[in-house]
Amino acid sequence: MALAHSPGEVATQDSPFPAVVELNVGGQVYVTRHRTLVAVPDSLLWDMFSRKTPKELAKDNKGRFFLDRDGFLFRYVLDYMRDLRLVLPDYFPERSRLQREAQYFQLGELVEQLSLKVDKPNSANEENCPSDNQEEGARRAPNADKPRLATSSVAVTPSPPSSSDSVQPRRSGYITVGYRGSYTIGRDCQADAKFRRVARITVCGKTSLAKEVFGETLNESRDPDRPPERYTSRYYLKFNFLEQAFDLLAEAGFHMLACSSTGTCAYASDQGEDKIWTSYTEYVFCRG
C-alpha cells in the first residue's frame, strides 16, 4: 500500500537537497527546511535550491551551503520566507540595509513592504538616532499638517543652525575598547618570541556612540536591535588591528583617559620550556 505524503514532502523527496538544510551566511549558521528556501518562486534562493544541484553551490569547510551576505540581516529574510510576513522589532535601525538584502535575494514583495515602512515618519529611526535635535523634530511630526510658516520659524529660531547641526552629533560619552592577546617566548627571549595577532577587539559603551565611531566595521550580531540610547558590552569589531580602532576614535574626537591590563603565564607543554603569555587589556576613551 502506498504511503500518503503532503505536497511539501513529495517535493523534498524529488529534490537532490535534504529536507533540512544548513546554511552559512556571512559566518552565521542557519538551519531551515528546504521548502522554506523555495517558498518564494523566482527568488534567488528558489533558483539556487530548486534549479541547481548541491554540487553547483558553494560550501564551507563543514559542508554547509555558503552565502557571502550579511549574516545578521539574513534571519529577517528567512523569517519572511517562512510565512511571507514582515515582522520587525519596535526599534530596527537597519531597514535600508535589509531592503538592499531583499533586493539581492530578489524578494520583490519584501522590498515593497520595507519601502512602505521607511516612508512612515516614525520608522526613520536610523537617521534620527544620532541627534537629539532630530528626535525632537520626530515628536513634532503629528503637527506637520499645520501652517508651514510656524514650523519653519521654529526650525530657523536658532540663529546658527548649520554650526549647531555640525556639533550636535558629537555628543559626549565614553567608549571602552578591550582585547585579549597571547604570545609565546622560548628559551632565548629575543630570538624565539612568537607573536600572535589579537583574535577579537570588544567595544563597550552607548550604542549610538559605538555606531557613530566604528560604522560598518562594528559587528552587532551578539547584541542586535539595541536601541541607540542603551548601553552594550557585547559589540566587537570586524578587524583585528588595535591601532585602527584608535585611529577611528581619534578621528571622532575621543581621547584616551586610562588603561588597565592583566596577564598570566603558563608553560606551553610539560616537556618544553616555552611559555605562553596571555593578557587582557582595556582602554577607556572619552569625548567631552
Side-chain angles (χ1 to χ4, degrees):
M1 182 177 65
L3 297 176
H5 297 282
S6 66
E9 290 174 342
V10 172
T12 302
Q13 291 179 358
D14 294 341
S15 172
F17 293 93
V20 177
V21 180
E22 291 190 40
L23 303 174
N24 178 350
V25 184
Q28 300 293 324
V29 177
Y30 292 89
V31 181
T32 185
R33 292 183 177 275
H34 175 264
R35 62 189 181 190
T36 300
L37 298 175
V38 296
V40 181
D42 298 325
S43 65
L44 179 63
L45 292 173
W46 176 86
D47 182 74
M48 293 173 58
F49 292 94
S50 64
R51 292 185 173 181
K52 298 182 179 180
T53 62
K55 293 182 179 180
E56 298 179 80
L57 301 180
K59 296 182 180 180
D60 63 8
N61 56 1
K62 294 187 178 179
R64 295 178 292 228
F65 296 104
F66 178 75
L67 296 171
D68 189 14
R69 301 302 298 179
D70 192 311
F72 164 67
L73 294 176
F74 183 75
R75 67 172 182 164
Y76 298 105
V77 175
L78 194 59
D79 284 343
Y80 169 79
M81 298 189 66
R82 289 189 175 110
D83 52 14
L84 301 183
R85 291 182 55 204
L86 175 62
V87 180
L88 297 177
D90 293 336
Y91 174 78
F92 186 73
E94 308 288 351
R95 283 194 178 93
S96 59
R97 293 175 60 185
L98 180 58
Q99 187 176 16
R100 182 181 62 185
E101 295 299 304
Q103 292 172 347
Y104 174 82
F105 287 107
Q106 302 173 17
L107 300 171
E109 293 186 4
L110 179 57
V111 173
E112 293 180 3
Q113 293 184 38
L114 288 168
S115 300
L116 294 175
K117 286 183 175 291
V118 170
D119 291 340
K120 294 182 180 180
N122 61 356
S123 66
N125 290 333
E126 57 185 304
E127 291 80 14
N128 294 342
C129 295
S131 172
D132 292 332
N133 245 0
Q134 294 173 339
E135 290 176 0
E136 185 178 354
R139 289 194 293 270
R140 292 198 298 265
N143 300 326
D145 54 346
K146 292 185 177 182
R148 293 189 178 180
L149 277 177
T151 305
S152 61
S153 63
V154 172
V156 178
T157 299
S159 32
S162 59
S163 60
S164 63
D165 289 345
S166 61
V167 176
Q168 188 74 8
R170 288 183 172 268
R171 292 175 293 175
S172 61
Y174 294 84
I175 290 181
T176 300
V177 175
Y179 80 96
R180 189 180 305 277
S182 63
Y183 56 91
T184 303
I185 295 181
R187 186 177 302 176
D188 186 348
C189 296
Q190 296 182 351
D192 296 335
K194 299 178 181 179
F195 294 93
R196 187 174 66 183
R197 290 191 180 279
V198 179
R200 178 170 292 178
I201 301 175
T202 59
V203 175
C204 308
K206 187 175 290 188
T207 300
S208 58
L209 289 178
K211 291 184 177 181
E212 176 193 338
V213 174
F214 299 107
E216 295 291 334
T217 65
L218 192 68
N219 194 320
E220 310 165 38
S221 60
R222 295 176 60 192
D223 194 8
D225 310 330
R226 173 69 64 168
E229 299 306 315
R230 297 290 298 274
Y231 291 85
T232 180
S233 60
R234 298 179 61 82
Y235 287 169
Y236 62 94
L237 301 180
K238 297 179 181 179
F239 55 82
N240 297 329
F241 297 99
L242 194 61
E243 294 77 8
Q244 186 175 351
F246 291 170
D247 288 341
L248 292 175
L249 285 162
E251 292 173 1
F254 281 81
H255 302 276
M256 186 187 301
L257 290 183
C259 68
S260 63
S261 179
T262 60
T264 58
C265 178
Y267 285 99
S269 63
D270 297 336
Q271 299 178 352
E273 297 185 7
D274 290 349
K275 296 181 180 180
I276 297 180
W277 287 86
T278 302
S279 65
Y280 178 75
T281 307
E282 286 187 342
Y283 300 89
V284 181
F285 290 82
C286 175
R287 185 171 67 187

